Amino acid sequence: MSRASSHALKHPPVTAPSEPAGAKPFPELAVAIERQRRRGRGAQSNESGRFEAEARVAFDDGWQSLDDLPPFKTTVSLDTSRKVITRNDSPDIGFDRSINPYRGCEHGCVYCFARPTHAFLGLSPGLDFESKLLAKPDAPELLEKELAAPGYEPRMIAIGTNTDPYQPIEREHKIMRGILEVLDKAGHPVGIVTKSALVTRDIDILQRMAKRNLAKVAISVTTLDAKLARTMEPRASTPPKRLEALRQLSQAGIPATVMVAPVIPALNDSEIERILDAAAHAGVKEASYVLLRLPLEVRDLFREWLMANYPDRYRHVFTLIRDMRGGRDYDSKWGARMKGTGPMAWMIGRRFEIACEKLGLNKRRSKLTTDHFVKPNRSGQQLSLF
């Protein structure tokens, strides 16, 4: 069975247009949740996670009960994990540990590669991912405990590499600020990735850390087109606000990087040079880019979104994606998953490099240090006399 919506009985499922020659045809597209119920969200549907043995289907029994279904509202539950530092050994990323203050992300970016992680919670990578969130309010205390553990060796902690630490609920919960306070006190380096201008709230802490080469911030600017941004990233900060955040960070002496991410062929790839130029004028000295990634459920969610909002580009976008992924929708090989392969991927890379060269970006890379690290005192530990 597949999950349906209240819209299913009024409108038949949408069938994808013809696929490129030689490509494996897609199955029928899932039916979207009725627009009013998902207003302000990125995903069109709420399919069950891949680990679920059953799927629920909304079925109209003739009493119009589906008309009474409530809209999707953001709910926040407690994440009771006993550790906050996650380790990884991926050879194509520049960190081996990270922290995620939240699970799920209210920004609702339809292309988010973190969406499949919600399936491990028995929730949908679709609308559940952006409306059923989990927070770790005791993350600062747990982090302090882990940093104080015997044998802990400091290296840069990355935050925001999975879900955004500055998503809207951070305004109330302030978990990220608590984490920064712990890292600042311990002299521990941190690298932050976000799409939110809320990061400027913590400039006071980040500025102190940056003076000791302990902090850097990367802000993803996907597009300068307000309509595309609102459709594709419905609850993230607007492009002008992200550029203003980059300006404020740069003026405060905090190393700031603009990320053109993700680059989506035939949708936002034409904006690479414009985004880099706008960021350079905001004072940014470093830049990077990442090609669109469509692992697991993200492929179908992105496909539904594309059919709903840009049906005329659907076939062209996926043709180019496959050209850059060895004929597939996604290639997870180390080293290839971020940049892709083939002529189109090569051209995007060269355009990025040429634009950076003209704008004077990436002439020097900021490096963080662990020289200032001091283990926090464990609870009950006697203080040193010297």
Side-chain angles (χ1 to χ4, degrees), residues 201-216:
R201 179 200 64 187
D202 296 334
I203 279 182
D204 57 332
I205 301 177
L206 293 170
Q207 189 175 42
R208 289 199 305 267
M209 297 182 73
K211 288 179 179 178
R212 295 178 289 163
N213 293 324
L214 292 175
K216 59 182 180 180

Side-chain angles (χ1 to χ4, degrees), residues 172-217:
E172 175 185 353
H173 292 268
K174 299 181 180 179
I175 299 173
M176 182 59 183
R177 185 169 179 85
I179 289 173
L180 288 178
E181 289 170 344
V182 172
L183 295 174
D184 180 29
K185 184 177 179 181
H188 196 293
V190 62
I192 300 169
V193 179
T194 182
K195 285 186 176 69
S196 176
L198 182 59
V199 66
T200 58
R201 179 200 64 187
D202 296 334
I203 279 182
D204 57 332
I205 301 177
L206 293 170
Q207 189 175 42
R208 289 199 305 267
M209 297 182 73
K211 288 179 179 178
R212 295 178 289 163
N213 293 324
L214 292 175
K216 59 182 180 180
V217 178

Side-chain angles (χ1 to χ4, degrees), residues 85 87 97 146-147 149-154 157 188 373 375:
I85 298 179
R87 308 279 178 159
R97 64 199 70 183
E146 291 183 56
L147 297 183
Y152 177 82
E153 295 293 333
I157 289 179
H188 196 293
F373 178 67
K375 284 183 179 292

Side-chain angles (χ1 to χ4, degrees), residues 16-216:
S18 58
E19 298 300 323
K24 183 178 179 181
F26 277 138
E28 194 172 56
L29 288 178
V31 178
I33 297 294
E34 199 272 328
R35 182 179 294 274
Q36 283 302 113
R37 290 193 62 212
R38 56 178 171 81
R39 185 178 180 182
R41 304 292 179 178
Q44 310 290 304
S45 62
N46 208 36
E47 292 286 332
S48 298
R50 61 190 179 281
F51 301 116
E52 303 308 299
E54 298 178 348
R56 300 187 180 213
V57 177
F59 177 75
D60 192 342
D61 58 5
W63 292 90
Q64 288 80 45
S65 57
L66 294 181
D67 294 338
D68 299 327
L69 291 175
F72 283 81
K73 293 184 178 180
T74 300
T75 62
V76 183
S77 303
L78 295 183
D79 185 330
T80 57
S81 301
R82 304 171 86 173
K83 290 187 176 182
V84 292
I85 298 179
T86 301
R87 308 279 178 159
N88 79 83
D89 57 0
S90 302
D92 60 350
I93 55 178
F95 58 89
D96 67 353
R97 64 199 70 183
S98 60
I99 295 176
N100 292 297
Y102 305 99
R103 302 180 76 172
C105 185
E106 196 177 7
H107 280 163
C109 304
V110 69
Y111 53 73
C112 181
F113 65 84
R115 284 182 177 274
T117 62
H118 241 45
F120 291 104
L121 305 175
L123 298 172
S124 171
L127 290 165
D128 282 350
F129 177 80
E130 49 194 286
S131 61
K132 295 183 178 179
L133 313 179
L134 282 79
K136 305 176 184 178
D138 56 350
E141 292 77 16
L142 292 173
L143 173 60
E144 192 170 42
K145 181 179 179 181
E146 291 183 56
L147 297 183
Y152 177 82
E153 295 293 333
R155 289 189 65 183
M156 185 195 77
I157 289 179
I159 306 180
T161 56
N162 194 39
T163 58
D164 202 310
Y166 286 105
Q167 59 181 286
I169 59 173
E170 167 63 15
R171 294 184 183 277
E172 175 185 353
H173 292 268
K174 299 181 180 179
I175 299 173
M176 182 59 183
R177 185 169 179 85
I179 289 173
L180 288 178
E181 289 170 344
V182 172
L183 295 174
D184 180 29
K185 184 177 179 181
H188 196 293
V190 62
I192 300 169
V193 179
T194 182
K195 285 186 176 69
S196 176
L198 182 59
V199 66
T200 58
R201 179 200 64 187
D202 296 334
I203 279 182
D204 57 332
I205 301 177
L206 293 170
Q207 189 175 42
R208 289 199 305 267
M209 297 182 73
K211 288 179 179 178
R212 295 178 289 163
N213 293 324
L214 292 175
K216 59 182 180 180

